[in-house]
């Protein structure tokens, strides 16, 4: 056994002469491991083996960070990938010190404060393990120290305004998690392998929602711990991307990205207060409520169902977020007296939509008045013309009361017979239906078709205005 004495060094003490030392720090970023076949040339011939590499970004103070790249057999790298995670405190023993300027891999790794990087190869003396010594909690607290200043971040509105002109650039942002999308599995075209993918919608004081795409396995799992409208993220070097499908700017994580969750800075606290005050709900139906601001008398552009679909999702799709249409169509679904849900409930205080199972608003600020719940119309409607059917349109709130000439309170007191009579005023009748259509986007799962006015149409009016296509 070697009697060599190993000194513990800090990141700011490392130089090119540093050899036998131990570095203790917390992991603040972690790359996905990469695997490859390596050929070894020996005197008795050549042999190949499966190798792997991964990079951890380490911090040991509020100021100092450094990258450590680990090379080993694929089995060892896989075990390291399962063992070491963001937030873990590690001991790195006898790493090789490399100048960043001659380490070509550094251009793909997170930006560090040190001019050096560390490397661990397959050697009994060179190793990394979880730290079990003193000061563990103190070092772990460094995970909440951001790697950039709040003054060096961009507002989401400025990024969106930059458009395709800043596509591919890296920026820093301070954002709140608005909603989390489910994990998806896709097939990578080049390799044919399955890979997980995830989207998170983030917001700040300037912008209601922008998508961030995640391919890194470490974060795909960590996202489960993020709480919408509560978790704040300081993100360094996130890449600006133009989403060709939705025609909008979004963000994407790269190998250089570092994310600080709930950073311990005043600006993060202010953003959280803003989010709690202004984000009344995080439901897709929140977007449909915006349609009520459109004056129905201004909707005069006549379209068929097929034209509406083509403009919303097909060949006629443009970059506009929403458009309006007047459609002369039969009401083919209007289940006022059946099993369909035709009302929704929301908290009168914060306006958050409540689930059927909720007897009160769950938000802390509403606990003093938990039973103040308002009920509104939210009626699913299908409309059909000679070109097709537009399913699951929404007739909501005041628009529904105007159409039915009935308040929601009076409707709830009606028996099935009265509700049936109300239904047959419109069911299978050709109506003039005025819609606000909000296209699906990175912050909306699907296109929303909102009916803001509906009345039985005059046959002469239909004959003069209805379109062939």
């Amino acid at each position: 056994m070697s009697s060599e004495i190993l000194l513990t060094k800090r990141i700011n003490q490392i130089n090119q002469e540093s050899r036998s030392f131990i570095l203790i720090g917390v992991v603040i970023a972690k790359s996905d491991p990469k695997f490859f076949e390596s050929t070894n040339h020996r005197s008795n011939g050549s042999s190949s083996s499966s190798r792997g590499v991964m990079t951890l970004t380490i911090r040991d103070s509020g100021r100092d960070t450094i990258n450590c790249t680990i090379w080993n057999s694929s089995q060892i790298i896989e075990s390291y990938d399962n063992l070491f995670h963001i937030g873990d405190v590690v001991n790195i023993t006898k790493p090789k010190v490399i100048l960043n300027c001659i380490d070509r891999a550094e251009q793909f790794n997170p930006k560090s404060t040190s001019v050096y990087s560390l490397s661990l190869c397959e050697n009994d003396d060179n190793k990394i393990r979880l730290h079990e010594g003193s000061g563990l909690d103190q070092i772990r607290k460094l995970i909440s120290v951001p790697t950039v200043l709040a003054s060096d971040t961009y507002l989401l509105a400025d990024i969106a305004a930059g458009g395709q002109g800043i596509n591919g650039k890296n920026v820093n942002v301070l954002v709140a998690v608005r909603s989390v999308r489910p994990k998806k599995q896709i097939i990578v075209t080049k390799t044919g392998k399955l890979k997980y993918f995830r989207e998170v919608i983030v917001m700040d004081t300037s912008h209601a929602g922008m998508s961030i795409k995640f391919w890194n396995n470490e974060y795909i799992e960590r996202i489960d711990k993020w709480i919408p409208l509560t978790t704040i993220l300081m993100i360094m070097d996130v890449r600006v991307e133009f989403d060709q499908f939705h025609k909008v700017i979004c963000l994407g994580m790269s190998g250089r990205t570092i994310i600080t969750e709930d950073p311990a800075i005043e600006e993060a606290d202010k953003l959280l207060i803003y989010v709690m005050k202004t984000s009344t709900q995080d439901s897709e139906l929140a977007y449909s409520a915006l349609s009520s601001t459109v004056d129905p008398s201004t909707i005069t552009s006549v379209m068929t169902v097929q034209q509406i679909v083509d403009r919303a999702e097909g060949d006629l799709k443009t970059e506009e977020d929403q458009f309006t249409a007047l459609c002369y169509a039969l009401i083919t679904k209007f289940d006022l007296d059946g099993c369909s849900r035709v009302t929704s409930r929301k908290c009168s205080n914060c306006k958050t939509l409540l689930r059927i199972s909720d007897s009160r608003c769950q938000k802390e600020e509403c606990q003093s008045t938990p039973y103040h719940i308002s009920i509104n119309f939210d009626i699913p409607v299908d409309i059909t013309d000679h070109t097709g059917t537009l399913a699951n349109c929404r007739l909501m709130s005041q628009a529904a009361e105007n159409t039915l000439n009935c308040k929601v309170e009076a409707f709830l007191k009606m028996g099935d017979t009265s509700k049936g009579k109300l239904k047959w005023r419109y069911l299978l009748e050709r109506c003039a239906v005025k819609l606000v259509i909000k296209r699906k986007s990175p912050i909306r799962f699907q296109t929303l078709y909102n009916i803001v006015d509906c009345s039985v149409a005059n046959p002469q009016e239909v004959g003069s205005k209805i379109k062939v296509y």
Side-chain angles (χ1 to χ4, degrees), residues 25-30 56-58 83-90 130 136-137 139-144 218-219 222 225 259 261:
V26 62
V27 178
I28 62 171
K30 172 189 169 185
L56 302 178
T57 303
I58 309 297
L83 179 62
F84 302 118
H85 300 282
I86 293 172
D88 288 339
V89 180
V90 296
L130 292 173
L136 189 64
D137 292 338
I139 299 173
R140 190 177 285 129
K141 288 180 181 178
L142 295 172
I143 194 70
S144 62
E218 179 77 2
Y219 275 108
R222 288 187 71 83
K225 301 177 182 178
I259 300 178
E261 300 168 4

Side-chain angles (χ1 to χ4, degrees), residues 280-281 289 341-356 358-361 366 369-378 396-398 401 407-409 412:
T280 58
Q281 53 187 312
R341 180 180 60 84
V342 294
T343 61
S344 60
R345 301 157 65 245
K346 65 180 179 181
C347 174
S348 301
N349 182 46
C350 68
K351 310 305 180 185
T352 298
L353 285 172
L354 304 179
R355 294 170 297 185
I356 295 175
D358 290 337
S359 61
R360 62 174 67 189
C361 182
C366 299
T369 55
Y371 299 106
H372 288 192
I373 297 173
S374 64
I375 300 177
N376 301 278
F377 278 118
D378 183 3
M396 302 176 67
S397 303
Q398 189 62 49
E401 291 188 355
K407 296 290 185 182
V408 67
E409 295 82 6
L412 292 174

Side-chain angles (χ1 to χ4, degrees), residues 235-253:
I235 310 179
M236 182 182 84
D237 281 335
V238 65
R239 186 173 57 241
V240 179
E241 300 176 346
F242 185 75
D243 188 323
Q244 291 289 349
F245 180 78
H246 295 297
K247 304 298 182 184
V248 295
I249 286 291
C250 61
L251 303 173
M253 188 177 179

Side-chain angles (χ1 to χ4, degrees), residues 291-304:
S291 65
S292 62
T293 61
V294 177
D295 183 355
S297 65
T298 64
I299 301 176
T300 57
S301 181
V302 179
M303 298 185 194
T304 62

